[in-house]
Amino acid sequence: MLDKYVIPLIKKPLNSAASYCLHYHIKADQVTVISFVIGLFALPALWLQHYHLALLLIILNRIGDGLDGAIARKTQPSDAGGFLDISLDFLFYALIPFGFLLANPEQNAFYAALLIVSFVGTGSSFLAFASIAGKRNIANPVYQNKSLYYMSGIAEGTETIAFFIAFCLWPHAFPQLATIFAVLCLLTTFNRIWAGYRTIQVSEMTEDDHNENL
């Protein structure tokens, strides 16, 4: 929901950092993998309840996630790079609630599981629509530079980062915060399913009308 407002604000610093990386021949895929590895270390940090360290690692991971796209846009974006980026992103997203589950199973297990289930909903609806949108050449007027059709919703990247930061700052409030975020993710899932279904249905009807007129 907030990505379309935040992305223009961070575009300039990311482009500057991307130019610096390109000067030293650092590629987008390399940044993607390094950022993911950094993010992986957030899991043991959360497990050991080093929440401030985990917060730093999460922020570095997310900066890297923005930087790899900026580098790709300055060179030649590739489908392979887009696939790698989105795959590692969704895996990283699932690791964070799992880390809070490990930190305090008695308090967090149910809410972490609920949040991971909601992530499955947002991720599956996002990727399922993106695959069909690409097949049917459905235009994406909002996020034209994305490798996949980026379907907007209430819970997007900005909201995810905000809640991850809140989890680390107030770990004892994880059950309440995770419940709120899970509800937002589930609302996003249902909206994406309905909007995606209607969009694909309209595309099919338009194609059928076109074929009949040939």
Side-chain angles (χ1 to χ4, degrees):
M1 182 171 63
L2 298 177
D3 281 8
K4 62 183 178 181
Y5 303 108
V6 172
I7 289 175
L9 296 177
I10 63 175
K11 185 175 181 179
K12 185 175 180 179
L14 285 177
N15 283 337
S16 298
S19 297
Y20 180 85
C21 290
L22 289 172
H23 178 74
Y24 288 97
H25 308 289
I26 299 173
K27 298 179 180 179
D29 290 354
Q30 293 173 328
V31 174
T32 299
V33 173
I34 292 170
S35 300
F36 177 69
V37 172
I38 291 172
L40 278 179
F41 284 102
L43 180 63
L46 291 171
W47 193 350
L48 297 173
Q49 301 185 20
H50 297 316
Y51 296 115
H52 288 169
L53 175 59
L55 174 59
L56 174 62
L57 295 169
I58 289 169
I59 291 173
L60 290 175
N61 171 273
R62 295 295 84 201
I63 292 173
D65 181 61
L67 181 58
D68 61 5
I71 294 172
R73 286 187 291 273
K74 283 182 172 292
T75 52
Q76 181 60 47
S78 70
D79 290 339
F83 168 77
L84 179 66
D85 179 48
I86 198 69
S87 298
L88 296 183
D89 273 354
F90 278 112
L91 180 55
F92 168 76
Y93 290 154
L95 289 175
I96 301 307
F98 183 59
F100 279 92
L101 183 155
L102 295 174
N104 191 339
E106 293 79 10
Q107 173 186 273
N108 297 337
F110 173 81
Y111 302 98
L114 175 65
L115 190 53
I116 291 172
V117 168
S118 73
F119 284 173
V120 171
T122 56
S124 60
S125 57
F126 174 93
L127 294 174
F129 181 81
S131 65
I132 297 175
K135 176 183 176 182
R136 304 191 66 81
N137 295 315
I138 298 174
N140 186 357
V142 180
Y143 300 103
Q144 299 179 19
N145 294 322
K146 296 287 187 179
S147 298
L148 299 175
Y149 190 109
Y150 193 91
M151 204 175 187
S152 58
I154 299 172
E156 298 178 339
T158 301
E159 290 79 13
T160 301
I161 297 170
F163 272 96
F164 282 2
I165 291 173
F167 293 163
C168 293
L169 293 177
W170 301 287
H172 295 298
F174 177 81
Q176 294 83 0
L177 292 169
T179 300
I180 294 170
F181 191 32
V183 170
L184 295 178
C185 288
L186 291 172
L187 289 174
T188 297
T189 299
F190 295 137
N191 179 68
R192 281 178 175 170
I193 291 172
W194 172 246
Y197 175 79
R198 291 295 299 152
T199 301
I200 295 167
Q201 191 177 52
V202 169
S203 174
E204 290 175 334
M205 292 171 62
T206 303
E207 183 180 37
D208 290 341
D209 290 342
H210 176 73
N211 292 335
E212 289 178 2
N213 292 329
L214 290 179

